[in-house]
Amino acid sequence: MSDEREGAPPIPAALLVAIVACFFLSGAASLVLEVVWSRLLRLVFGTTTLAISTILVAYMAGLGIGGLLGGRIALRMRNGIRAYGAIEIAVGLYALAMPLLFSFFPDLARALLADLAFWPSVLARFALAFTVLCAPTIGMGLTLPLLTRALVRDERAGAGIALLYGLNTLGAVSGVFLATFLLLPWLGVTGANHAGALAYLALGVVALLLSRSAATRSAPVPATAPAQDRLARWNPALLAYGTIGFTSLVYEVTWTRALSMVMGSSIYAFACMLAAFLFGIAAGSLLARGFVDRLRRPLVAYAVGIAAVGLLSLVFMAVMAGMGRY
């Protein structure tokens, strides 16, 4: 992740390591909050399946919207590290208020939704929860484009993005275990929520301090992009990638149900599914870093990867069906 753009100085190795470490810990904090918020949502819906579905949809939607917005905002940022730090602090402050926000849901539901049938009531609760969760998750989604713009500056962009994404996702894996097996048993839901929020605040402050270095500044890129770049955003490969996102969310919900039948506990099944899912994403990203920029036909490799995911998913469900018999 060296810097060869005109007008942008190289980033010192120590500063680069510190920023990447912040991003790793940010991934851990985000999943601590996801696990905790799924427990809070269980009190709203009265069922773990609906709570898990809501938190997954809100996280994926927020990360996706944040990524799209961040891709545009990052081009105009002269100091992406400073923007990253400010967003981390904003997410932390919002997260501190989350238990209070969710505490209003039972009374609100009784006042507004008591006369509704089951499914309309569920959809209304989902809409309320989704609205509350969107703001922090969009903030989380903004961080990767901002750091990519600030740190990935040479011709090996694929390797640099894979490293950032992979390490952030590995941090998320650690956050799942930290929340499920340490923070929730020791601190309870509110205490674990505050721990995740305070981690975001601390990381934001550290990032702001790191952003004072002149090496984190980069020359702005013109706001307009070539016509072929704009068209490339909507090519069939990207549309297929969006479909993969849809199927991935389906997998997460159904695999949680399948694992709960084997493990006998929805919270541990959810944690196991998240940890395995995120570890696989992180490992794939870090493995791809070694060859992604050298591929002569990346779309062929992409298509083979999609087919492999489909086949392995069928194998997984067959294994789960076999385990359920015992």
Side-chain angles (χ1 to χ4, degrees), residues 107-318:
D107 292 337
L108 188 63
R110 282 192 294 269
L112 301 179
L113 310 177
D115 296 331
L116 294 179
F118 176 74
W119 283 113
S121 175
V122 167
L123 290 174
R125 292 167 194 257
F126 169 83
L128 287 172
F130 183 83
T131 301
V132 170
L133 290 167
C134 256
T137 54
I138 288 173
M140 294 172 188
L142 287 169
T143 57
L144 179 60
L146 290 173
L147 285 187
T148 299
R149 165 65 180 152
L151 303 181
V152 181
R153 302 175 180 176
D154 61 16
E155 70 282 357
R156 298 189 67 233
I161 295 170
L163 178 62
L164 283 174
Y165 185 64
L167 290 177
N168 181 255
T169 309
L170 276 182
V173 175
S174 67
V176 173
F177 287 108
L178 183 65
T180 304
F181 298 105
L182 291 178
L183 295 180
L184 283 173
W186 289 359
L187 303 178
V189 174
T190 302
N193 179 85
H194 290 351
L198 291 174
Y200 261 102
L201 292 174
L203 291 170
V205 171
V206 171
L208 290 180
L209 294 175
L210 294 173
S211 72
R212 295 181 178 182
S213 169
T216 63
R217 299 179 181 274
S218 56
V221 175
T224 58
Q228 62 268 28
D229 290 343
R230 291 196 297 270
L231 290 174
R233 296 174 187 172
W234 306 107
N235 65 31
L238 288 182
L239 294 176
Y241 196 55
T243 304
I244 293 171
F246 169 81
T247 56
S248 297
L249 200 61
V250 173
Y251 287 153
E252 291 192 33
V253 175
T254 55
W255 291 356
T256 300
R257 289 295 300 272
L259 286 170
S260 66
M261 297 177 187
V262 176
M263 304 181 72
S265 170
S266 296
I267 184 61
Y268 293 120
F270 181 53
C272 181
M273 179 279 298
L274 269 183
F277 216 91
L278 294 170
F279 180 80
I281 291 172
S285 182
L286 293 174
L287 287 172
R289 180 174 178 264
F291 61 83
V292 65
D293 289 304
R294 298 196 300 270
L295 289 174
R296 293 184 178 181
R297 302 182 67 184
L299 289 180
V300 173
Y302 172 65
V304 171
I306 292 175
V309 169
L311 290 174
L312 291 173
S313 299
L314 293 174
V315 171
F316 173 82
M317 292 308 297

Side-chain angles (χ1 to χ4, degrees), residues 21-46:
C22 285
F23 201 44
F24 174 89
L25 295 173
S26 175
S30 70
L31 264 294
V32 167
L33 293 176
E34 181 172 352
V35 172
V36 171
W37 293 347
S38 71
R39 294 295 297 271
L40 289 172
L41 282 173
R42 185 178 179 181
L43 302 177
V44 175
F45 288 99

